[in-house]
Amino acid sequence: MNALEREIRALIETQGPISVSRYMALCLAHPEYGYYSTRDPFGTDGDFTTAPEISQMFGELAGIWCAEVWRLMGTPQQIALVEVGPGRGTLMKDALRAAKVMPGFLNAIELHLVETSPVLQEKQREALHGAVSKIAWHGETNTLPDTPLIAVGNEFVDALPIEQYEKKAGRWHERKIGLGANGGLAFGLDPALLPDFEKNLPRRLTPAPNGAVFERRNLTPIADIVGRIGKNGGAALFVDYGHAESGFSDTLQAVSGHDYAEPLEAPGEVDLTSQVDFEALAALASNNVRATGPLTQRDFLTQLGIEARAEILQRNAKEEMRDEIGTALTRLIGHTPGMGELFKALAFAHRDLQALPGFDGAKVSGEHS
Ligand code: SAH
């Protein structure tokens, strides 16, 4: 048993079973033993590989997206460029290099990175050294400046803690983590009943069958960014794995060494995420802010011109690198095992902003007209 498990067991012994969100938050962000607090989990030697770590093309297109949004905003002289959960800083590094093609953009931005992990903050500092004149780090979104902003977040939302609920014998309960018969961590249902639970679900999902599990995520940082866009203008792009419409399933997932692991084993040593419910995410749209999407990562990147970009890279690459670029392209936009279908892009934008780059044909919600 590791030190974090000892701490969690002690917590449960004194306070009773804990919510899945509390467990996730402890596993990912405990200051001493949290998964992200203590390590750099990315890449082939790590636990998992994200899109910007697969290919420079991903960050480059994200950078073009930001620069184009800035142009559509009327090229404001000052704007906050925000990344939430920047990992190793790879996406932003590639984005800033690519965005040089937009005259004036780099001079207009002030870079703000929202990152809880000191280890990763350090990686980001190294990766972005010299890329822009000023970078500010934030532990939370609530200290971001009160200015127009353009934000991006790749695989950030999936790491935000979720709560889980289950219907059993016609009644809804919260799923919690307590101690099992052998004293180890175990899932169980809180005996308290949630009589009105089903009223908050999309109508088409009710009445829910017994055994249904519903996940609800704490989207506070995203709601904060959406609120800022409504007040000051701008846009935000989120790319993540998940489902376009709300539904029932237990998607809590642990990953270690590029393989699935048990969520309750070795807490803090494995990555914990769950699928993003893009319907719930889009519902953060408000009077002033529209949500556009989700589109599949394949459609989004294809509209932004990833195939042409791959061709140019291949043309300029040495023979032995050409296949690698092709493989990366397939991983980013291909079907399973590629990320093209499961991963999706969703954007929020102030209603003053017309059509967003990469989102032709996407559903728009929160529209007032
Ligand atoms: N965007 C990167 C990393 C994704 S992993 C990439 O695509 O490679 C998730 C990132 O979010 C990590 O940097 C992690 O430390 C950070 N993170 C997770 N939860 C967070 C939170 N609540 N606040 C700020 N950063 C968080």
Side-chain angles (χ1 to χ4, degrees), residues 15-347:
Q15 300 183 1
I18 60 171
S19 64
V20 174
S21 62
R22 180 91 192 270
Y23 179 75
M24 258 181 107
L26 285 167
C27 288
L28 294 179
H30 186 287
E32 228 176 312
Y33 311 122
Y35 181 75
Y36 285 115
S37 323
T38 51
R39 75 197 70 216
D40 168 3
F42 308 103
T44 37
D45 298 337
D47 288 325
F48 58 96
T49 307
T50 56
E53 301 295 336
I54 289 172
S55 164
Q56 69 186 77
M57 295 187 284
F58 189 86
E60 287 172 349
L61 293 175
I64 300 291
W65 190 88
C66 294
E68 180 60 15
V69 165
W70 174 75
R71 192 185 65 78
L72 293 170
M73 287 171 72
T75 65
Q77 285 196 346
Q78 266 192 333
I79 188 151
L81 181 64
V82 177
E83 185 174 1
V84 287
R88 282 178 167 172
T90 310
L91 183 156
M92 191 48 73
K93 186 177 170 196
D94 294 332
L96 292 172
R97 189 183 59 249
K100 279 184 188 152
V101 298
M102 182 68 74
F105 178 65
L106 291 193
N107 285 332
I109 60 171
E110 204 176 81
L111 188 57
H112 292 268
L113 304 179
V114 181
E115 174 61 68
T116 36
S117 159
V119 178
L120 292 175
Q121 280 195 8
E122 195 44 45
K123 290 266 170 190
Q124 293 153 19
R125 197 183 316 274
E126 285 164 23
L128 296 168
H129 181 77
V132 276
S133 54
K134 200 174 146 222
I135 311 180
W137 274 269
H138 304 257
E140 292 180 52
T141 53
N142 58 13
T143 53
L144 287 171
D146 216 5
T147 61
L149 61 79
I150 299 173
V152 289
N154 185 60
E155 290 211 47
F156 172 74
V157 183
D158 67 16
L160 296 175
I162 54 158
E163 266 143 25
Q164 291 187 322
Y165 301 88
E166 188 175 325
K167 191 170 184 180
K168 191 181 170 193
R171 293 146 184 257
W172 283 93
H173 302 262
E174 184 172 352
R175 261 184 121 206
K176 288 196 165 174
I177 292 156
L179 300 177
N182 59 2
L185 299 176
F187 286 105
L189 293 189
D190 193 69
L193 300 178
L194 303 165
D196 293 331
F197 187 80
E198 230 159 80
K199 288 191 186 142
N200 301 317
L201 298 180
R203 186 75 72 69
R204 64 167 200 282
L205 293 178
T206 62
N210 280 321
V213 173
F214 191 77
E215 299 180 333
R216 205 158 55 194
R217 172 166 265 121
N218 180 349
L219 291 170
T220 307
I222 314 299
D224 181 42
I225 288 176
V226 170
R228 287 162 186 279
I229 291 172
K231 189 167 158 231
N232 302 319
L237 170 68
F238 297 101
V239 181
D240 226 305
Y241 82 115
H243 38 280
E245 292 182 342
S246 304
F248 297 125
S249 66
D250 168 9
T251 73
L252 187 66
Q253 171 181 297
V255 167
S256 176
H258 298 269
D259 216 340
Y260 294 112
E262 287 299 322
L264 300 186
E265 257 169 44
E269 292 176 36
V270 300
D271 184 42
L272 272 189
T273 59
S274 86
Q275 292 208 8
V276 172
D277 175 349
F278 280 94
E279 184 178 342
L281 188 63
L284 295 178
S286 64
N287 276 353
N288 274 345
V289 182
R290 288 175 188 149
T292 306
L295 276 191
T296 61
Q297 176 163 302
R298 181 190 53 232
D299 286 351
F300 176 66
L301 294 178
T302 304
Q303 283 196 34
L304 290 179
I306 194 166
E307 283 158 325
R309 181 69 190 129
E311 252 181 66
I312 293 171
L313 285 176
Q314 278 176 326
R315 218 177 297 141
N316 298 335
K318 293 205 180 84
E319 182 82 38
E320 62 271 22
M321 286 297 293
R322 284 188 196 142
D323 284 353
E324 233 171 86
I325 295 164
T327 307
L329 178 68
T330 309
R331 278 181 81 183
L332 291 177
I333 66 171
H335 283 275
T336 357
M339 306 166 85
E341 281 285 317
L342 179 60
F343 280 70
K344 298 177 177 69
L346 182 127

